[in-house]
Each structure stands twice: as C-alpha cells, then as structure tokens.
Amino acid sequence: MSERIGESVWPLMAKETINRTKLADIFEQGGFKAAGEYFLDITNTKINYRSEKSADFAEQRQKLQTEAGLIICNHPGYVEIPAILQALDRRDVKIMINRHIYEEFCQQFGEQYFVPNAQTPRELVEIMNQAISHIKNGGAFLLFPTGGEKLDVYNGKDKPKFMGGFRNILSRLSADNMIYSFYVDPEQSYQMRRSKVPTFAGIASEVISKGNFNINQSRDQQIIKVDERYTQADFWQSLLRQTKDKHEQDKLLASAYFNQIEEIE
C-alpha cells in the first residue's frame, strides 16, 4: 500500500477503532469480508460492483474465494481497500501494507495476514519470496501494482505506472494461478479522499458514542463504482516474454490492466 494511504485512513482506524477492539472483534467473527463491510458502513459508503450483472460473475467470485494467486487493484485513494475486503470470503489472504502500521496490524489481527512494504532490495526479495510461498500454499496475495497514484495522474492521457512488484511475483507463478483485477473509479475515490475530514469525523463520532451515533449516516450515501476481471497468470506472463526490458514489461502489464477494464466498461 502507498505511503499516502498509511497517512490517511488506516492509521486513524488503528488509533481510533482498532485499539478499542471493535474492528478486531468483527474480523475475528467474520474475517476480511466483515471488516470491509464495517468500514463501508461507518463511512456510509456503498460499492457498486458493476460486474454483478454479468453472466459469469458468480463463477468469477467463486474463483476469487478458492484459487491461489494475486489480487491486484489501482490505488487512487483508500475506499478500494474495504471494497476488496468486502468481496473476500476467505481467510488465506496476505496483504502488503505500509511499514509504519505493520506491527500494530499484526498485533491486532495476526502476522500471517500482512507483509510490510519493502525499503531495500534485500527486503523486497524477502517479501517476494513470502508472497510466492503463500500463493504456492494455496493462498491469495493482495498487491497494488501502482503503489499509490498522484491526484493529477488522470489528465486525459496518462495512466498510473506499475512498479516492479507485480512483475517480480508474476514471473514466478504457475501459468494457471489466478490474477484477479479490481478497478475502482479514480475520480470517485479522489472525491472521497478530499472529503476525508467529514468522513473521519463520522468515524470519530462512531467511536466516541460507542456505536450509537455516526455523523456519516446523516449524509447522502457515497456510491463507488468498482469493476473486476478474472484471468490467469499465463495471459500476463505472455506479455513478459515480449521484451527483456523490465521497464517495458511494467508498461505492458499496466496497459493490459487498464485495457481489460475499458473492455468491461
């Protein structure tokens, strides 16, 4: 996850909510799905999963819950995190998170669910090894290939760049491993980030009142559009074989990601 995300919603959740045990209790009872639902509820946010009306939606979601592989998403704000969590009805998920909240999250939920973002090449190798091992053991690894996006990145022609993490893991996966792509509407996510003060005031009111009052519930519900697509690793690995230049490989992967989303739309 990007540093921006660590500086916004998740530290607040950690300090104001997780330390009061409610989210941890919810997670203990209902896993990632329940945790995502809780966050969306207290921010009065609804996710419009646009693929729900497609004929193969149920089959795709079943694969998401059962197959080993990578889950990827663009990262323009923070709502994509609970949007993905709400869709996960499985416990064998490992998530890369910002280092300065890593220890607290491990203490609250368990170190088996998280890895910290890398700060050195050696750490990156270790984290990549953990991700591959987790997937080979049947789990899913959640990664944001863009690492976080600047607010002005969508200027009508530019798209966020992919960092090397996705490429590194992808090159070591089995051809039939799952690659499940989520895509959150960036403009909507940006708007939600810009309104973080009233949104977070609602979270604070939820905490202070012990769940009896939440300012966000008196506002219009925010509806965020999310698309998704199931593929397998062999499709993405074929792109890596087109060139040996790592930067060009990252460009090809990013282009394929955004192209498949445009096909869905």
Side-chain angles (χ1 to χ4, degrees), residues 20-242:
R20 296 172 184 263
T21 74
K22 184 171 183 179
L23 184 56
D25 289 343
I26 289 172
F27 178 78
E28 179 67 24
Q29 296 296 319
F32 290 108
K33 181 178 179 64
E37 290 172 348
Y38 171 66
F39 179 80
L40 293 169
D41 179 60
I42 64 175
T43 57
N44 197 19
T45 304
K46 179 181 179 181
I47 304 300
N48 174 13
Y49 296 103
R50 300 181 66 189
S51 296
E52 280 186 320
K53 297 180 180 180
S54 64
D56 60 350
F57 179 75
E59 181 182 356
Q60 284 196 121
R61 279 292 181 89
Q62 179 63 22
K63 292 176 178 179
L64 173 63
Q65 313 308 345
T66 58
E67 293 192 8
L70 277 173
I71 301 168
I72 62 173
C73 187
N74 61 326
H75 204 4
Y78 58 79
V79 71
E80 53 271 15
I81 300 170
I84 295 172
L85 298 185
Q86 182 180 239
L88 293 177
D89 193 14
R90 62 189 296 177
R91 291 269 186 172
D92 59 341
V93 179
K94 193 178 286 286
I95 306 172
M96 183 180 291
I97 63 173
N98 195 277
R99 182 171 295 274
H100 72 269
I101 57 174
Y102 170 72
E103 289 187 4
E104 185 162 8
F105 269 49
C106 287
Q107 291 174 0
Q108 292 292 334
F109 302 111
E111 63 181 7
Q112 69 270 32
Y113 299 117
F114 305 102
V115 297
N117 60 334
Q119 293 184 324
T120 67
R122 177 176 293 183
E123 288 179 351
L124 178 61
V125 171
E126 182 179 343
I127 290 170
M128 295 299 103
N129 287 339
Q130 288 186 50
I132 294 300
S133 176
H134 182 70
I135 292 170
K136 288 186 179 298
N137 286 326
F141 189 85
L142 173 54
L143 176 73
F144 295 93
T146 62
E149 299 153 25
K150 295 181 180 179
L151 295 181
D152 61 352
V153 73
Y154 288 90
N155 60 12
K157 39 182 189 175
D158 293 338
K159 293 286 178 67
K161 297 178 181 179
F162 274 25
M163 303 296 104
F166 180 43
R167 165 176 43 82
N168 287 331
I169 298 177
L170 182 64
S171 64
R172 297 171 60 187
L173 293 182
S174 299
D176 60 351
N177 279 146
M178 169 185 71
I179 307 294
Y180 204 97
S181 305
F182 283 97
Y183 177 82
V184 64
D185 184 291
E187 289 301 325
Q188 290 184 310
S189 187
Y190 292 165
Q191 290 297 327
M192 192 168 181
R193 280 198 73 240
R194 293 186 184 110
S195 66
K196 65 182 178 182
V197 173
T199 298
F200 289 178
I203 296 175
S205 66
E206 168 87 11
V207 173
I208 294 169
S209 69
K210 298 182 179 179
N212 294 317
F213 175 71
N214 186 323
I215 294 172
N216 290 326
Q217 301 304 326
S218 64
R219 300 190 180 94
D220 291 338
Q221 187 177 53
Q222 302 175 93
I223 300 177
I224 309 295
K225 293 181 292 186
V226 173
D227 282 321
E228 57 199 272
R229 169 71 64 85
Y230 169 88
T231 54
Q232 291 184 316
D234 59 348
F235 164 74
W236 303 88
Q237 290 167 342
S238 68
L239 301 175
L240 299 183
R241 291 192 289 269
Q242 293 183 20

